[in-house]
Each structure stands twice: as C-alpha cells, then as structure tokens.
Amino acid sequence: MPNIILLGPPGAGKGTQAKRLEDDRGMVQLSTGDMLRAAKTSGTEMGRLVANVMDRGQLVTDEIVIGLIEERLTAGDGRGFIFDGFPRTLAQADALARLMDRTGQTLDAVIEMRVDDEVLVARITGRYTCGNCGAVYHDTTKPTAKAGVCDVCGSTDLRRRGDDTEDALKTRLMEYYKKTSPLIGYYYAKGQLTSVDGLAEMDAVSSAIAKVLDRG
Ligand code: ADP
Ligand code: ZN
C-alpha cells in the first residue's frame, strides 16, 4: 500500500476517510490531532503544554508534532501510512521528507479534500464523538438514535472537542489558510497532488480516494 497525506481544512473529513482506509485496506492512520488529544487526556507534561493552544485553535509547535511523528514512523511494514493532519506547515513537510528518506520509504500521493467554509462551520459546530469507539455524530445531520447513547457500542461517553466551537474554528481556518494551504502548491509543483471533492457523499469521496490509491 502507498504512503499518503490527506490534506484539507478542519472538518473536510480527513479523519473519517482515514478510518475507512484502516478498515478497508489495513492501512495505518497517523493523526497528530489524535496523538495530541491523547497526550492532553493522559495529562502528560506535553499534554498540559499544548492544551490551551489547541483549545484556542492555534497550531502547536513544529518541534512537538515532528517529534510525535518521528516516534511512530518506523520503517514501514508495507501496510501504508495515512498522514492525517500532518504536515501542516512547510517545515513539517520538509521534516516528513527527511524522515521518510531516513527510514527508506517514499511518499506516494497527497490527496487534497476540497470543501467550502460554510459547510465546515456547520459540520464542526454540531459534532460529537463516542469516547469509547470513536463513532462520529452530529446534532442535526446524524444524532444518535437514543439521546446520550452511542449507536455502535452503547457507551454513554459522548464528547465534544474543546476546539469545536465557533471561535476556535475561526482561528483553525485562519491557521489553515495561512500556514497549511501553501502545501497545496508545494505538492502540486512536485507532481504529487490530487484534489477530490470533499462535498460529495462519503462513499463518493472514498471511491475518489480509492482511484488514487489503485492507480499503481
Ligand atoms: P482538525 O483537522 O479537525 O482541525 P486535528 O485533530 O487534526 O483537527 O487537530 C486539532 C488541533 O491539534 C489543531 O488545531 C492543532 O492545535 C493541533 N495539531 C494537530 N496536528 C498538528 C500539526 N501537524 N501541527 C501543529 N498543530 C497540530
Ligand atoms: Zn461508541
């Protein structure tokens, strides 16, 4: 399986598609957002350091996220990595190139998920997830069948992210356009970019991504 980056603004659906690729193809999702939230929850020193920055919607330092990726990016076993939410700056993109090189791996494709800002706001400010199984819900478009109980696993541990507020989202979008969107031009120039329509049905987005993975 190839190693790919999913690129796109917050709420584009990167996490959803990454989880599907794990289930369908046995690929390995590397989400710096998930790693940082795990550090926050477990109360490590690094977690305490990044908590406020994340809740405001700002990017944490390159040094921290590059360190997290470095820890996880062992020589690949061929399953294929999905980088989700990383890289988010040009410095992170350079670091990733070096790490892949050092571990004898290649970056095979960068998939940009395109969406409109209005959709992002609607998607994100209603979102909640199951703390037990990771299922994702939405107040208006996909509520749980029984209020407060996860459809999939029955857990009552439903959570909202600290940065899924309108204020933090404004900052997250600004950070994205300022610091992350230049990566689109960067990977385009390297001939590695494919853009897919992130506004399409989830299954249609999955098949668009599958096409990129299967083109060999
Ligand atoms: P989303 O894509 O929905 O904004 P993520 O879960 O990818 O969510 O990231 C949540 C937050 O974690 C970001 O707003 C940022 O504070 C931090 N973060 C995650 N990945 C990175 C990264 N590569 N560089 C800097 N900060 C990051
Ligand atoms: Zn659940």
Side-chain angles (χ1 to χ4, degrees):
M1 276 291 135
N3 299 309
I4 65 166
I5 294 174
L6 293 182
L7 193 60
K14 303 182 296 283
T16 305
Q17 295 297 333
K19 291 253 151 49
R20 286 188 166 200
L21 291 170
E22 281 200 319
D23 292 346
D24 298 349
R25 297 177 182 246
M27 294 175 77
V28 179
Q29 176 191 24
L30 292 183
S31 160
T32 42
D34 285 350
M35 295 175 205
L36 291 165
R37 274 186 292 280
K40 227 176 114 179
T41 315
S42 62
T44 61
E45 195 193 327
M46 190 263 282
R48 278 196 300 276
L49 221 69
V50 299
N52 286 328
V53 176
M54 287 178 75
D55 283 346
R56 279 200 302 270
Q58 294 167 340
L59 294 188
V60 312
T61 65
D62 288 336
E63 201 189 347
I64 288 177
V65 290
I66 291 167
L68 285 172
I69 288 288
E70 194 165 11
E71 271 170 31
R72 301 280 291 272
L73 194 67
T74 44
D77 55 8
R79 285 195 290 164
F81 288 115
I82 310 152
F83 296 99
D84 161 14
F86 179 92
R88 258 177 158 95
T89 63
L90 288 166
Q92 291 177 22
D94 283 339
L96 178 61
R98 279 195 306 274
L99 285 173
M100 295 298 272
D101 220 36
R102 196 202 295 164
T103 53
Q105 304 180 79
T106 52
L107 176 65
D108 302 295
V110 179
I111 300 173
E112 181 207 0
M113 301 177 65
R114 287 178 173 272
V115 284
D116 295 336
D117 283 5
E118 307 90 84
V119 177
L120 300 178
V121 176
R123 278 189 188 176
I124 287 186
T125 57
R127 176 164 80 169
Y128 56 101
T129 60
C130 172
N132 181 49
C133 75
V136 182
Y137 300 98
H138 191 279
D139 291 326
T140 51
T141 59
K142 196 193 169 202
T144 52
K146 199 169 153 219
V149 184
C150 175
D151 293 352
V152 179
C153 74
S155 165
T156 54
D157 178 19
L158 299 175
R159 307 175 180 175
R160 282 177 206 273
R161 273 170 49 171
D163 61 350
D164 275 354
T165 61
E166 228 174 311
D167 258 7
L169 178 58
K170 262 189 211 141
T171 307
R172 284 156 70 195
L173 283 173
M174 198 50 89
E175 292 280 73
Y176 177 77
Y177 290 117
K178 254 193 342 209
K179 299 173 182 166
T180 308
S181 68
L183 297 181
I184 295 170
Y186 172 79
Y187 287 119
Y188 170 77
K190 294 178 90 172
Q192 292 183 301
L193 191 79
T194 306
S195 300
V196 303
D197 178 9
L199 292 174
E201 299 272 338
M202 252 198 299
D203 288 347
V205 178
S206 297
S207 9
I209 292 174
K211 239 193 232 156
V212 179
L213 293 176
D214 295 334
R215 81 187 158 195

